[in-house]
Amino acid sequence: MEAKPDGLEQTAFVLMMTRLNNCITCNADSYRAMNGCTTCAIQSLKRFHGADEELSGLFHAAKAGVAQYLNKEGNCST
């Protein structure tokens, strides 16, 4: 049985995918938005040219960034 991700891991994954997909530039009239976030995320991962280790590193960097932000804000006791 797999363990479910905690809130920190979920937030870090969303942050990583947002950076990878460049979601900031997406808008309601764009082709990406009309296809939906799930389709965009799948396409983005298929087009990713780095190794799996690089993708894992991006996730761990996002996780560290989220944890640092939460600790700085006093919202997390890690």
Side-chain angles (χ1 to χ4, degrees):
M1 181 176 195
E2 289 185 36
K4 292 189 177 185
D6 62 11
L8 176 64
E9 289 177 334
Q10 288 176 336
T11 304
F13 184 79
V14 170
L15 176 61
M16 178 195 73
M17 291 304 294
T18 300
R19 290 175 175 165
L20 193 62
N21 298 334
N22 201 16
C23 296
I24 302 286
T25 62
C26 189
N27 62 55
D29 294 329
S30 72
Y31 178 76
R32 291 186 299 166
M34 289 182 195
N35 283 325
C37 294
T38 302
T39 302
C40 182
I42 291 168
Q43 284 181 342
S44 180
L45 288 173
K46 285 180 180 179
R47 292 178 181 159
F48 184 72
H49 294 292
D52 289 348
E53 293 78 19
E54 186 179 349
L55 197 57
S56 180
L58 292 173
F59 171 71
H60 290 295
K63 188 175 176 181
V66 170
Q68 181 182 11
Y69 174 80
L70 291 175
N71 286 330
K72 178 180 162 188
E73 295 295 318
N75 297 326
C76 181
S77 56
T78 325

